[in-house]
């Protein structure tokens, strides 16, 4: 009964924004049908899951991003406040970009995972800046979207390929891309003419103590995102860039969540991972570059 109520709540919420959707198969407009599906004029039909999300993929896509990873990431973000300065920085950017409007802002989080970044950002905007906001999270991982829909209501959660999203063109004021792969052609299509894309990439100090503990080779301990930043700047009209760097003190529980969350452990030896897990505390640096762009003229 609880899951059925969650599905109905999601259907009712999405009904308010069904005009944003376009069929990923034929690109026709879509409508909510009988409180259970989104359907286009060519009768391509996508059902609401019992948790409230919609799966627009035509086949099962397996990824390494599983249930335990997403649960650990959510705990690290919500209980550990690991990325709280990032959420505050992003909401400040959004407020500065749309300071003259009191209308509802539409935010699409691409590669949203289990949805905690989007939920936190929307909550801050609603409480601090008094703007209405509709938040939509999209990810190819069904596990991530399922976790998001279980934990965060009054959002739209979608399983979809980023190269073929189920939305009409020019629907979003803000496109977020936080520590996740991008599709700049799709971002440009989806963004409103006065919209903004905010991409977050790791910088040289990001999780450096963890990388130094897990790996011995310098190329694993250090990396650069120069190519990623150059590609971003070529794809969008440059607005601004912000370097965000801070250190978090992690207790044993937070260390466990960090290790479960990060893909860094996938290529590390079991011994080095366990050695880090055995620590009682750790000082971990979060070092990020926030890139802000608009459509090229």
């Amino acid at each position: 009964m609880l899951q059925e109520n969650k599905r109905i709540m999601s259907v009712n919420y999405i009904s308010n924004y069904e005009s944003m959707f376009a069929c990923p198969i034929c690109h026709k407009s879509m409508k909510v049908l009988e409180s259970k599906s989104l359907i286009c004029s060519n009768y391509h039909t996508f059902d609401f899951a019992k948790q409230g999300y919609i799966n627009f993929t035509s086949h099962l896509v397996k990824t390494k991003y599983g249930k335990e990873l997403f649960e650990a990431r959510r705990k690290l973000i919500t209980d550990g406040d690991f990325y709280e300065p990032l959420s505050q920085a992003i909401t400040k950017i959004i407020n500065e970009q749309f300071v003259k409007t009191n209308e509802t802002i539409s935010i699409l989080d691409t590669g949203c995972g289990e949805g905690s970044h989007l939920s936190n950002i929307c909550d801050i905007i609603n409480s601090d800046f008094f703007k209405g906001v509709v938040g939509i999270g999209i990810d190819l991982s069904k596990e991530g979207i399922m976790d998001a829909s279980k934990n965060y209501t009054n959002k739209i959660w979608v399983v979809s390929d980023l190269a073929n999203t189920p939305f009409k063109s020019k629907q979003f004021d803000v496109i977020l891309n936080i520590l996740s792969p991008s599709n700049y052609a799709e971002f440009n299509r989806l963004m409103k003419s006065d919209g903004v894309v905010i991409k977050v990439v790791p910088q040289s100090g990001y999780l450096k103590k963890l990388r130094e503990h897990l790996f011995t080779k310098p190329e694993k301990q250090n990396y650069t995102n120069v190519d990623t930043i150059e590609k971003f700047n070529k794809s969008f009209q440059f607005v601004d860039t912000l370097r965000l760097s801070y250190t978090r003190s992690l207790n044993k529980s937070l260390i466990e969540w960090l290790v479960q969350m990060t893909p860094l452990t996938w290529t590390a030896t079991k011994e080095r991972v366990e050695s880090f897990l055995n620590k009682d505390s750790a000082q971990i640096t979060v070092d990020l570059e926030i890139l802000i762009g608009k459509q090229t003229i």
Side-chain angles (χ1 to χ4, degrees), residues 6 71 74 114 119 146-153 157:
K6 185 175 283 290
E71 288 181 348
R74 177 169 49 81
E114 39 59 64
S119 180
M146 187 182 298
D147 197 63
S149 61
K150 285 180 180 178
N151 290 287
Y152 303 115
T153 58
W157 304 111

Side-chain angles (χ1 to χ4, degrees), residues 205-248:
Y206 185 66
L207 306 185
K208 190 169 180 62
K209 290 294 184 182
L210 175 60
R211 286 189 278 115
E212 289 176 344
H213 190 97
L214 295 178
F215 306 111
T216 57
K217 295 181 179 179
E219 61 267 26
K220 287 278 193 176
Q221 294 178 340
N222 304 285
Y223 62 87
T224 177
N225 267 308
V226 171
D227 292 343
T228 300
I229 294 172
E230 286 182 355
K231 186 176 180 181
F232 181 91
N233 290 337
K234 289 179 180 178
S235 301
F236 302 100
Q237 180 184 350
F238 175 78
V239 174
D240 202 359
T241 181
L242 171 67
R243 184 78 173 261
L244 180 67
S245 185
Y246 58 92
T247 300
R248 280 286 191 253

Side-chain angles (χ1 to χ4, degrees), residues 135-182:
I136 299 180
I138 183 171
D139 203 289
L140 191 56
S141 171
K142 182 179 175 181
E143 291 286 356
I145 293 297
M146 187 182 298
D147 197 63
S149 61
K150 285 180 180 178
N151 290 287
Y152 303 115
T153 58
N154 291 332
K155 306 287 185 299
I156 299 172
W157 304 111
V158 171
V159 181
S160 176
D161 187 344
L162 190 56
N164 186 31
T165 62
F167 306 110
K168 294 177 182 176
S169 299
K170 300 188 182 304
Q171 292 297 309
F172 297 99
D173 296 293
V174 180
I175 294 180
L176 299 178
N177 187 234
I178 302 173
L179 302 173
S180 179
S182 306

